[in-house]
Amino acid sequence: MSAEPEALRARLSEGAAALAVTLSDEQRGQLLDYLALLGKWNKVYNLTAVRDPAEMLTHHLLDSLSIIAPLRRHTRGQPTRLLDVGSGGGLPGVVIAICFPEIQVSCVDAVAKKAAFVQQVAVALRLPNLRGVHARVEAVQDKFDVITSRAFASLADFTEWSAPALAEGAVWLAMKGKRPDDEIAALPPGVEVFHVEQLQVPGLGAERCLLWLRPRA
């Protein structure tokens, strides 16, 4: 194996450890294979503006891995249905599917080629718990226990568009940069933010936070 994949593997291991995420050798391999697929398909499908593998590792893989420990606390290993909205190239949905075999992950995107890419990843990485869905989120018929998004839309739009897909007792998890106080203030009365978690992404010199939301009782 060349030095570059070894360097990426080392950085992935260090980053995961810093995020309190334990990865098996198989999961590490799947994450790096996913990174390679993202780089390969990106040339044709324009899945991400980031092109450099080392930068993709930090900005995409480690950034998505930052949601894993909080999600594990929430699901406690229970079978869970998760919808990743505006998933694009599968972030964070593919990373969640790799880390949680017990979570059924649906990555929905309005762009057909992005949903097709996620389907290709599911086949290539042998992830039976992952599927790509080509649809607008408002058209999704199934119900989910957790609905995630990563820099998808304003909190008001994200919660409004995906509300019909919420199962009873479900939560929204929104990955954001700086704490979006203006977006929180603009939420409708029926939605509440019940927790805001600051995230530290190794190697990423930018603010990150995770917002937990639910329908107001």
Side-chain angles (χ1 to χ4, degrees):
M1 192 181 268
S2 69
E4 192 188 21
E6 278 302 333
L8 286 175
R9 183 175 287 269
R11 282 192 55 200
L12 174 59
S13 297
E14 288 164 17
L19 292 164
V21 175
T22 304
L23 296 172
S24 67
D25 287 342
E26 184 185 13
Q27 287 170 328
R28 261 193 298 273
Q30 286 174 318
L31 287 167
L32 292 170
D33 287 346
Y34 168 54
L35 199 67
L37 285 169
L38 201 54
K40 180 181 163 189
W41 282 58
N42 202 31
K43 294 173 182 136
V44 183
Y45 276 17
N46 197 26
L47 299 164
T48 164
V50 182
R51 294 284 193 270
D52 175 61
E55 209 177 329
M56 284 168 77
L57 181 87
T58 304
H59 284 66
H60 292 329
L61 281 196
L62 294 183
D63 192 43
S64 293
L65 278 171
S66 69
I67 197 178
I68 298 302
L71 193 54
R72 181 162 276 124
R73 282 200 317 268
H74 178 72
T75 62
R76 297 177 183 175
Q78 295 303 304
T80 302
R81 295 156 301 165
L82 183 142
L83 180 67
D84 186 28
V85 177
S87 193
L91 297 156
V94 170
V95 175
I96 292 169
I98 289 170
C99 293
F100 294 99
E102 74 276 11
I103 296 183
Q104 296 294 322
V105 179
S106 298
C107 294
V108 65
D109 203 281
V111 179
K113 61 188 178 183
K114 291 179 178 175
F117 170 70
V118 172
Q119 273 301 120
Q120 178 65 28
V121 169
V123 172
L125 302 187
R126 297 186 180 89
L127 294 168
N129 61 326
L130 174 69
R131 66 182 185 131
V133 179
H134 171 224
R136 295 181 63 84
V137 64
E138 303 96 313
V140 172
Q141 298 291 317
D142 297 336
K143 299 288 185 188
F144 297 87
D145 308 304
V146 178
I147 301 182
T148 59
S149 72
R150 177 176 177 261
F152 163 64
S154 71
L155 292 175
D157 286 345
F158 166 51
T159 52
E160 181 189 348
W161 296 339
S162 62
L166 272 183
E168 193 174 338
V171 297
W172 287 286
L173 272 183
M175 299 179 77
K176 292 283 184 177
K178 191 167 177 280
R179 180 186 164 112
D181 288 317
D182 52 340
E183 289 186 32
I184 294 171
L187 280 167
V191 176
E192 67 173 347
V193 175
F194 65 95
H195 184 46
V196 179
E197 212 162 326
Q198 294 303 318
L199 303 175
Q200 298 291 330
V201 180
L204 194 66
E207 285 187 65
R208 285 284 187 272
C209 70
L210 184 62
L211 289 97
W212 296 77
L213 305 96
R214 63 189 169 205
R216 201 180 292 276

